[in-house]
Amino acid sequence: VGALKDRLYRHGGTGSGFQKLILKSSSKEPLCELSDDTKMLGFYGVQSGMEVHIVDTDPYSYSKDGGLENVNLVVKYVMADEDYAKRPNALRNYKNKMREKDPYWTFLPENRREPKYKDKLPGPESVKDIPVGARCEVQPGSRRGVVSWTGEGEEGYLLAGYWVGVTFDEPLGKNDGSIKDKQFFTCPKNYGAFVRPDRVNVGDFPELDLDDLDSDSDEEYTL
C-alpha cells in the first residue's frame, strides 16, 4: 500500500502521508480503507476492475474543497472597463470605430441588419386609424388581439418612430406591456408585443383557437 501511495503521488501530487485510500467495487461501492501501508494489496482483496479513491487530507492542498475541480473557486483576473477602454487595439474600440463609419456594421456580414424604416420612420399618421381598444390582427402569423397602446418610441425603450402595443388573445407575445422599467400598457406576461403600425390590421377579428396561430416574427420589438 505504501508503494502504491508513492506512485499515486507522482500522478496526482498528493503526498503519501496525506493520502487516504478507499477501495471501491466495480460498481463504485466503498468496500474498505487501505489503512496499513505495510500490507500488500491482496490483503484487502483488491481485484481487477476495482477502483482506489484518493482522499486528500492535506489542509493546505490545492485540491481542498474541490480546488482542482471546481473552476468557480479559481480567482480569475478581471480587467476594469476603464483600463480596457484605454487599450488602443481592444476589440471594443475597433467595433466603436467601425460603427462611427457605419452604424449597422457587424463583425460577420451575414449578421448585418439594417432597420426597415431607416429612411422614413412611421409618423403619427400611421396610427391615426388604429384606436386603442380596437380588435386587430397582427402579421406575420395572423395573431389576434386588442390594441392597447399607440405612441412614439422613446430613447432607451423603443426605437424611433411610432409603435402599436397589442395585447394578444393567447400568450403569443414577448412581454407584459413593459420594456425595462417602463410600463406602456398592462397585460399578462407574454401576451404583449410592440409592433410597427403597418403590421396591424384593425377590424372585426374574433378570437381564434391557439392551433390556428403562428408566433414567428422578426418585426416585433422587445428587450
Side-chain angles (χ1 to χ4, degrees):
V1 172
L4 173 62
K5 288 183 176 181
D6 289 338
R7 295 189 64 180
L8 292 175
Y9 163 68
R10 291 193 290 272
H11 284 280
T14 300
S16 58
F18 295 103
Q19 293 181 28
K20 179 180 178 180
L21 303 184
I22 307 298
L23 181 65
K24 294 185 176 183
S25 67
S26 57
S27 60
K28 302 186 184 301
E29 290 291 329
L31 299 176
C32 63
E33 178 184 349
L34 308 183
S35 57
D36 191 338
D37 289 357
T38 66
K39 298 295 185 181
M40 301 295 288
L41 295 179
F43 175 82
Y44 294 99
V46 176
Q47 298 179 8
S48 176
M50 291 183 174
E51 295 183 2
V52 175
H53 180 73
I54 307 173
V55 178
D56 190 342
T57 62
D58 184 354
Y60 303 104
S61 172
Y62 283 120
S63 65
K64 181 177 176 59
D65 299 324
L68 297 178
E69 299 173 353
N70 188 350
V71 296
N72 294 322
L73 299 178
V74 179
V75 179
K76 305 175 182 65
Y77 171 73
V78 178
M79 181 181 293
D81 280 345
E82 313 85 71
D83 296 332
Y84 183 78
K86 295 176 183 178
R87 299 170 68 93
N89 297 323
L91 190 63
R92 183 190 301 166
N93 290 337
Y94 173 74
K95 182 182 74 173
N96 291 337
K97 290 179 181 178
M98 297 302 293
R99 288 279 175 87
E100 289 177 1
K101 302 176 183 177
D102 180 0
Y104 311 110
W105 180 89
T106 58
F107 287 103
L108 298 176
E110 57 268 27
N111 292 339
R112 180 185 178 91
R113 294 186 63 186
E114 297 186 14
K116 178 180 178 181
Y117 305 97
K118 68 174 183 177
D119 295 326
K120 180 176 175 53
L121 295 171
E125 72 285 349
S126 64
V127 297
K128 65 182 180 66
D129 295 323
I130 306 179
V132 172
R135 291 288 302 175
C136 66
E137 186 176 73
V138 177
Q139 300 297 339
S142 299
R143 291 161 293 163
R144 296 186 179 186
V146 177
V147 177
S148 298
W149 174 87
T150 61
E152 190 172 7
E154 299 181 28
E155 184 176 356
Y157 297 99
L158 286 167
L159 298 177
Y162 275 71
W163 293 83
V164 178
V166 177
T167 299
F168 291 120
D169 298 331
E170 302 289 347
L172 300 172
K174 298 181 179 179
N175 53 58
D176 61 354
S178 66
I179 297 177
K180 296 182 180 180
D181 59 347
K182 186 175 180 64
Q183 195 82 39
F184 290 85
F185 63 94
T186 302
C187 68
K189 183 179 180 180
N190 294 330
Y191 277 73
F194 294 90
V195 297
R196 289 298 192 181
D198 63 350
R199 295 290 178 176
V200 180
N201 292 321
V202 173
D204 182 18
F205 295 107
E207 294 189 26
L208 295 174
D209 292 333
L210 185 60
D211 293 339
D212 298 330
L213 303 177
D214 176 9
S215 63
D216 292 338
S217 173
D218 59 1
E219 294 294 331
E220 295 179 9
Y221 188 86
T222 184
L223 289 175

